[in-house]
Amino acid sequence: MTAPVSGSRLKSTVAVLAEGRFAGRRVGTPCGRAAARWLAGQLRAIGASVTADEFPVTGVRELHRTPEFSWSADSAPRQWVHRRDFAEHLVSADLPAPRTGELALADSDEWQGKWVLAPDLGVAARARAGGAAGLLVPRGTDPDGWMPKMIVGPPVGALPVIAVRADLHQEMVRTGSGTVTASMPLRAVEVAGSNVHGVLREPTAGSPRVLLTAHFDGVGDDPQQRLPAAADNASGVAVVLEAARLLAPLLPDHLGLAVSLLDGEEAGARGSAHHAPSVRPGTYVINVDGAAQLGDGAAVEAGGPAHDLLAALDQAGRETGVPLRAGAMPSDNRRYAATGLPAIGIGMGMPGYQTPAETADRVETETLVAATRLVVATVLQLAVHSRGLTALPHKDELQRGGGEIPAARRTGTAE
């Protein structure tokens, strides 16, 4: 009899990766490398042969101090809260010390030394030529009132650019005057990422291999604020580790099984871009990015020659009762598909995405369990079809116990 899916082990993995000692797991940081070492130990514990490979990552935005922002208009200055009221714009030039200037509207004639309220970046060239202190552009928030953090984007510009919460931006436009004092200590850095690979079994000649992937990096903590990165993507890592643990003793001897825990996804899927060209042709890739909140179903995106993989996933969804729906999954799966590998990306929600509210307590145990069962059942289906079998011994045992799958009716299949 095979061991059941362990909800407690899944939750423990998420909780550990979200701890302060890993500080948001940003690529190229000591805490990100510490997370990679911890994960290597987890792979060895389930019997994998582990290797790591490094790769360069350029253009990562790093806040080297907490930004400041205040606005006064015929009253005492109002101090705004970083990531609630304002946030860094990725094209911003580094402004380490506070800069004070009057407020100017986008249709004003004189911008010299002023902070310009602009609807977008379309006035950036004029603002630079006119000697503006910087640009203030509007930005929305998530449902919890946070401005999610990002660490890569368009090239850095010549002026400080600050994203202001949309309603506050409108208030400033309506007022049309006042003084702004702001800093934006944001620099672009070059770092090294490190993927962690584990091989649990090599395939026999002519047989397929399954590669389970998930990125372990996050966007990193702010200088004075934690961003735990529990949903994105400690949850996906937990699912991949648990699925690999269960599959290793269960699969027939001919089928290969490997795990890649990827760095640098938040910096443009750099880890998978580095790894994908070296993966053996014909390898089936299953990527999990977000397994925190199932909601109305798992989002699935397929790429490459993924017909057999999708058929296996479809059948697995029916077996496990996990609803599937076609949905964009712009994650590491796309890098593998771009090299001609059959690849699918699976996502089950990211509450608090890239904000301080992305905490371990918001990752649902039942969703972790459901995602693990779905991945395991998909791989078992591939094993059956790869040898023309009708069933695998003990397969049904794996789908029982270890927590409940939400009793949701199937809402459709990925296409």
Side-chain angles (χ1 to χ4, degrees):
M1 180 180 296
T2 57
V5 179
S6 172
S8 61
R9 183 166 37 242
L10 285 159
K11 281 288 286 187
S12 176
T13 298
V14 173
V16 169
L17 286 172
E19 286 178 358
R21 59 172 161 151
F22 295 136
R25 308 188 306 277
R26 202 208 77 195
V27 62
T29 61
C31 292
R33 290 190 288 273
R37 290 191 296 271
W38 184 82
L39 289 168
Q42 299 305 297
L43 284 171
R44 292 189 186 98
I46 62 174
S49 173
V50 178
T51 59
D53 66 314
E54 290 197 350
F55 54 93
V57 183
T58 60
V60 175
R61 307 304 199 270
E62 179 177 82
L63 282 169
H64 50 102
R65 281 199 297 278
T66 300
E68 302 173 44
F69 195 103
S70 66
W71 172 47
S72 60
D74 301 324
S75 63
R78 293 164 55 181
Q79 300 290 331
W80 289 3
V81 178
H82 178 232
R83 214 158 293 291
R84 285 290 196 182
D85 302 322
F86 75 103
E88 61 276 13
H89 194 292
L90 294 176
V91 304
S92 180
D94 188 14
L95 181 64
R99 177 179 292 174
T100 299
E102 293 181 7
L103 199 63
L105 298 178
D107 58 2
S108 300
D109 294 329
E110 177 56 48
W111 287 0
Q112 179 70 40
K114 297 181 180 181
W115 285 96
V116 179
L117 281 165
D120 51 44
L121 297 178
V123 301
R126 180 191 161 197
R128 179 186 180 187
L135 292 179
L136 307 176
V137 297
R139 181 179 170 186
T141 63
D142 72 2
D144 295 322
W146 293 100
M147 295 183 180
K149 181 177 181 178
M150 295 174 284
I151 59 172
V152 292
V156 174
L159 280 177
V161 180
I162 297 176
V164 175
R165 202 178 76 207
D167 61 315
L168 295 175
H169 193 275
Q170 280 298 314
E171 181 184 349
M172 297 176 83
V173 170
R174 287 193 300 270
T175 303
S177 62
T179 301
V180 167
T181 299
S183 67
M184 186 47 64
L186 183 71
R187 58 193 174 200
V189 297
E190 298 183 7
V191 299
S194 181
N195 294 328
V196 182
H197 307 292
V199 177
L200 289 108
R201 59 167 72 211
E202 293 287 0
T204 59
S207 295
R209 185 189 200 193
V210 176
L211 175 64
L212 306 180
T213 66
H215 77 88
F216 68 87
D217 65 302
V219 293
D221 286 351
D222 287 340
Q224 294 178 297
Q225 192 160 231
R226 292 250 33 239
L227 283 82
D232 182 25
N233 185 35
S235 64
V237 170
V239 166
V240 163
L241 286 174
E242 181 72 0
R245 182 187 70 85
L246 294 167
L247 285 164
L250 187 66
L251 292 177
D253 292 340
H254 73 281
L255 194 68
L257 179 64
V259 171
S260 288
L261 303 176
L262 303 163
D263 203 358
E265 193 273 348
E266 303 295 356
R270 305 291 183 85
S272 52
H274 173 74
H275 180 234
S278 67
V279 177
R280 181 180 307 166
T283 298
Y284 294 109
V285 181
I286 301 174
N287 183 70
V288 183
D289 196 350
Q293 191 175 74
L294 181 59
D296 62 355
V300 176
E301 178 180 304
H307 177 80
D308 290 346
L309 187 51
L310 270 177
L313 177 67
D314 181 77
Q315 183 60 36
R318 297 176 191 278
E319 288 181 359
T320 60
V322 177
L324 306 179
R325 58 181 177 81
M329 283 297 300
S331 185
D332 292 303
N333 46 287
R334 293 186 176 180
R335 296 291 196 177
Y336 291 102
T339 65
L341 295 168
I344 55 172
I346 301 171
M348 297 188 184
M350 298 178 181
Y353 175 69
Q354 294 184 348
T355 75
E358 194 186 333
T359 52
D361 62 290
R362 300 186 72 180
V363 177
E364 300 171 348
T365 302
E366 59 268 28
T367 297
L368 293 168
V369 170
T372 303
R373 290 181 173 173
L374 181 66
V375 171
V376 168
T378 300
V379 177
L380 294 179
Q381 283 294 323
L382 289 171
V384 168
H385 295 306
S386 68
R387 279 295 174 90
L389 304 175
T390 58
L392 286 173
H394 308 306
K395 186 178 78 169
D396 291 339
E397 296 291 345
L398 192 61
Q399 303 308 326
R400 296 200 291 267
E404 295 298 322
I405 292 178
R409 189 173 70 85
R410 190 168 177 75
T411 59
T413 58
E415 298 177 0

